[in-house]
Amino acid sequence: MEAGFLLLPELTPSGAVPGASRPGARWRNAAAGPTVHVRRFAPGGVLFGEGDTASEVHELTQGAATISRRLPDGRRQIVDIVGPGRLFGFTTGDRHDCAAVALAATVVCSLDRRAAQRDPRICERVARAMTAEIDRLRNLALLLGCKTAIERVASFFIDLTGDDARSPREILLPVSRAEMALYLGLTVETVCRNITLLKRSGLITADSRDAFTIVDRAALRTIAQGKAPRAQ
Amino acid sequence: MEAGFLLLPELTPSGAVPGASRPGARWRNAAAGPTVHVRRFAPGGVLFGEGDTASEVHELTQGAATISRRLPDGRRQIVDIVGPGRLFGFTTGDRHDCAAVALAATVVCSLDRRAAQRDPRICERVARAMTAEIDRLRNLALLLGCKTAIERVASFFIDLTGDDARSPREILLPVSRAEMALYLGLTVETVCRNITLLKRSGLITADSRDAFTIVDRAALRTIAQGKAPRAQ
DNA sequence: CGGTACTTTGACCAAATTCAATCACTGTGG
DNA sequence: CCACAGTGATTGAATTTGGTCAAAGTACCG
């Protein structure tokens, strides 16, 4: 499958896409015709920065990236963690108000906004991606505005795996503790302490630094939803 | 001007709309044809609740409303405060994941989603409203994740008036202290204390309980953006 | 091995919450 | 017209959660 087809809605319902193309390759979209631009990024690579011109819609096809916004004095909030199959790069004006940074080796497909607007199927997919983003951001606001530290950390684990009956028990964190802290509105130390608490209470086990197993999903969810007694 | 026309993009570029129509009136949109439903709400009235079916796009034409999300144990986060001219009610599925509650006497125009999707001008306006909402939510996440109490309160005043050179100096708060707290992720007491601090340092003056005048906008902005020394 | 970066833990501190009391404004009934 | 109840706002004191600073500990990579 060609990476250039990714922005077509019917080809990426769930997002998992193997293989990739040359850096900077351009592909003709067979059905709709718009030209797609493919780029690769190393970990830490900047997909776009705050203030960059925003003329494209992006799809992340491999890897992961953080979307973050900064205060003038350097404080930063990660507002989204983007995985494969996700559309991103929405902004009001023609400039990005957020920075997107690769967490791992990452492949991004980009399509000119105007071209995207001419294809109704892409338009519809973009609209769905935007409502999903609004939903995620509202959940983040709820987490940042209401939840305690342990609830935030538990939420992170639950959100990362999904919370279906057959969600995987194994988690591989795509981010460092520092980035987790930046997303959860906490400090690295507080994140650490609360991961330790979850381990000590037997809800999760640590298989390695970044790999965990969920032992008691129900209890974890109870904490994440804020129904449990609070503790640091 | 008929309220039923409001969902047409060219008639509400900036949003201020005088006059209104009978409760429950239905109007035929002359240009596009979709049927618009107009409703009125008293202060505290529920425009929609969490879990309600979401089949319409709404425009608030008069008054104001809060959009909030709840945790199972009752904790609540206001994720948006909607004023005249604003579109709202976006959601991923066919159910609202937020509640919308009127802050004052409020008039809402609603249009069926499917009908809206058929009109490209409405589609475009909805798309712009969604990116604007994403932008606001990212700013809220930055506020909730990074800012101190005084910075949050200062941000609230700045955001409410806009921050142009000729923004009004007078503010009439559309919300109680409790709702301000719910939006800013603080308690009522902390909001009070910090309003008092701003008054005492001469950045604002209180004309009445809900009416303030901005005396030193530059200093207020400096605090709001997080460039100033911190204090409770 | 050795060094570097990330993680974890501990002790202490500070900002914000909690709990409690008082104040101010509004509307009601005498 | 005034007393009073009720609601929301404000202030104060004590407490607590999470942050800050500092010191190990651990994994990773040359």
Side-chain angles (χ1 to χ4, degrees), chain A residues 152-170:
Chain A
R152 296 183 198 199
V153 172
S155 298
F156 194 84
F157 282 105
I158 291 287
D159 291 350
L160 217 63
T161 56
D163 196 18
D164 306 338
R166 63 189 67 73
S167 300
R169 317 237 137 235
E170 277 77 36

Side-chain angles (χ1 to χ4, degrees), chain B residues 192-223:
Chain B
C192 262
R193 280 187 244 276
N194 284 284
I195 289 178
T196 303
L197 274 179
L198 291 178
K199 284 193 285 190
R200 280 216 256 269
S201 33
L203 305 197
I204 59 173
T205 57
D207 306 324
S208 83
R209 187 184 286 192
D210 295 343
F212 296 87
T213 303
I214 296 183
V215 177
D216 187 344
R217 181 181 296 274
L220 201 60
R221 178 181 4 187
T222 303
I223 294 177

Side-chain angles (χ1 to χ4, degrees), chain B residues 148-149 185-187 189-190 193 209 231-232:
Chain B
T148 64
L186 300 170
T187 58
E189 294 93 326
T190 304
R193 280 187 244 276
R209 187 184 286 192
Q232 143 106 352

Side-chain angles (χ1 to χ4, degrees), chain B residues 129-151:
Chain B
M130 286 199 295
T131 55
E133 179 141 355
I134 289 171
D135 185 55
R136 269 192 308 278
L137 282 167
R138 284 174 178 164
N139 271 338
L140 181 60
L142 185 65
L143 178 145
L144 294 171
C146 297
K147 292 188 184 177
T148 64
I150 187 119
E151 288 164 1

Side-chain angles (χ1 to χ4, degrees), chain A residues 105-186:
Chain A
T106 294
V107 180
V108 174
C109 286
S110 309
L111 176 62
D112 185 74
R113 270 200 213 171
R114 288 169 206 286
Q117 273 172 3
R118 280 193 294 269
D119 185 325
R121 287 173 301 172
I122 294 181
C123 272
E124 202 212 309
R125 189 165 170 224
V126 166
R128 264 185 293 128
M130 286 200 296
T131 55
E133 178 142 353
I134 289 171
D135 185 53
R136 269 193 307 278
L137 283 167
R138 284 174 179 165
N139 270 339
L140 181 61
L142 185 64
L143 178 145
L144 294 171
C146 297
K147 292 188 185 177
T148 64
I150 188 115
E151 289 164 1
R152 296 183 198 199
V153 172
S155 298
F156 194 84
F157 282 105
I158 291 287
D159 291 350
L160 217 63
T161 56
D163 196 18
D164 306 338
R166 63 189 67 73
S167 300
R169 317 237 137 235
E170 277 77 36
I171 309 175
L172 186 61
L173 294 186
V175 295
S176 68
R177 300 287 187 276
E179 287 149 341
M180 225 176 129
L182 245 27
Y183 181 70
L184 297 176
L186 301 168

Side-chain angles (χ1 to χ4, degrees), chain B:
Chain B
M1 184 192 292
E2 303 290 71
F5 286 87
L6 287 175
L7 279 160
L8 278 184
E10 64 272 23
L11 294 182
T12 50
S14 63
V17 172
S21 53
R22 306 187 310 278
R26 284 180 177 276
W27 302 85
R28 198 110 198 112
N29 184 309
T35 300
V36 172
H37 187 203
V38 179
R39 282 170 301 166
R40 295 174 164 282
F41 297 90
V46 176
L47 315 204
F48 54 77
E50 268 181 271
D52 286 5
T53 52
S55 57
E56 293 178 314
V57 178
H58 307 286
E59 173 171 344
L60 195 146
T61 56
Q62 274 183 40
T66 60
I67 313 292
S68 67
R69 187 169 279 195
R70 285 175 358 99
L71 245 25
D73 72 348
R75 279 174 283 172
R76 204 153 65 88
Q77 174 66 40
I78 292 179
V79 295
D80 202 3
I81 298 175
V82 176
R86 284 271 314 276
L87 260 38
F88 65 101
F90 311 126
T91 185
T92 313
D94 58 352
R95 301 250 157 207
H96 283 294
D97 40 26
C98 286
V101 177
L103 286 166
T106 295
V107 179
V108 175
C109 286
S110 309
L111 176 61
D112 185 73
R113 269 200 212 171
R114 288 168 205 285
Q117 271 172 4
R118 280 193 294 269
D119 185 325
R121 288 173 300 173
I122 295 180
C123 272
E124 202 212 309
R125 189 166 170 222
V126 167
R128 267 185 289 126
M130 286 199 295
T131 55
E133 179 141 355
I134 289 171
D135 185 55
R136 269 192 308 278
L137 282 167
R138 284 174 178 164
N139 271 338
L140 181 60
L142 185 65
L143 178 145
L144 294 171
C146 297
K147 292 188 184 177
T148 64
I150 187 119
E151 288 164 1
R152 296 183 198 198
V153 172
S155 298
F156 193 84
F157 281 106
I158 291 288
D159 291 351
L160 218 63
T161 54
D163 195 21
D164 306 339
R166 63 189 66 74
S167 300
R169 318 238 135 234
E170 278 77 35
I171 308 176
L172 186 61
L173 294 188
V175 293
S176 68
R177 299 287 187 275
E179 287 150 340
M180 224 176 130
L182 244 28
Y183 181 69
L184 297 176
L186 300 170
T187 58
V188 182
E189 294 93 326
T190 304
V191 169
C192 262
R193 280 187 244 276
N194 284 284
I195 289 178
T196 303
L197 274 179
L198 291 178
K199 284 193 285 190
R200 280 216 256 269
S201 33
L203 305 197
I204 59 173
T205 57
D207 306 324
S208 83
R209 187 184 286 192
D210 295 343
F212 296 87
T213 303
I214 296 183
V215 177
D216 187 344
R217 181 181 296 274
L220 201 60
R221 178 181 4 187
T222 303
I223 294 177
Q225 293 179 340
K227 296 188 207 152
R230 322 287 165 65
Q232 143 106 352

Side-chain angles (χ1 to χ4, degrees), chain A:
Chain A
M1 185 193 291
E2 304 289 66
F5 286 86
L6 287 175
L7 281 159
L8 278 184
E10 65 273 25
L11 294 181
T12 50
S14 65
V17 173
S21 54
R22 307 187 309 279
R26 284 180 176 278
W27 303 85
R28 198 105 199 118
N29 185 309
T35 301
V36 172
H37 187 202
V38 179
R39 282 169 300 166
R40 294 174 164 283
F41 297 90
V46 176
L47 314 204
F48 54 76
E50 269 181 271
D52 286 6
T53 53
S55 56
E56 292 178 314
V57 178
H58 307 285
E59 173 171 343
L60 194 146
T61 57
Q62 273 183 40
T66 59
I67 314 292
S68 67
R69 188 168 277 195
R70 286 174 0 96
L71 245 26
D73 72 349
R75 278 174 284 173
R76 204 153 66 88
Q77 174 65 40
I78 292 179
V79 295
D80 202 2
I81 298 175
V82 177
R86 285 272 313 277
L87 260 39
F88 65 102
F90 311 127
T91 183
T92 312
D94 57 351
R95 303 250 156 207
H96 283 294
D97 40 28
C98 284
V101 176
L103 286 166
T106 294
V107 180
V108 174
C109 286
S110 309
L111 176 62
D112 185 74
R113 270 200 213 171
R114 288 169 206 286
Q117 273 172 3
R118 280 193 294 269
D119 185 325
R121 287 173 301 172
I122 294 181
C123 272
E124 202 212 309
R125 189 165 170 224
V126 166
R128 264 185 293 128
M130 286 200 296
T131 55
E133 178 142 353
I134 289 171
D135 185 53
R136 269 193 307 278
L137 283 167
R138 284 174 179 165
N139 270 339
L140 181 61
L142 185 64
L143 178 145
L144 294 171
C146 297
K147 292 188 185 177
T148 64
I150 188 115
E151 289 164 1
R152 296 183 198 199
V153 172
S155 298
F156 194 84
F157 282 105
I158 291 287
D159 291 350
L160 217 63
T161 56
D163 196 18
D164 306 338
R166 63 189 67 73
S167 300
R169 317 237 137 235
E170 277 77 36
I171 309 175
L172 186 61
L173 294 186
V175 295
S176 68
R177 300 287 187 276
E179 287 149 341
M180 225 176 129
L182 245 27
Y183 181 70
L184 297 176
L186 301 168
T187 59
V188 182
E189 294 94 327
T190 303
V191 169
C192 263
R193 280 187 246 275
N194 285 283
I195 289 177
T196 303
L197 275 178
L198 291 178
K199 284 192 286 190
R200 278 216 256 271
S201 32
L203 305 197
I204 60 173
T205 56
D207 306 324
S208 84
R209 187 185 284 189
D210 294 343
F212 295 86
T213 303
I214 295 184
V215 178
D216 188 345
R217 181 181 295 275
L220 202 60
R221 178 183 11 205
T222 303
I223 295 178
Q225 292 179 340
K227 297 187 207 152
R230 325 284 166 67
Q232 144 108 349

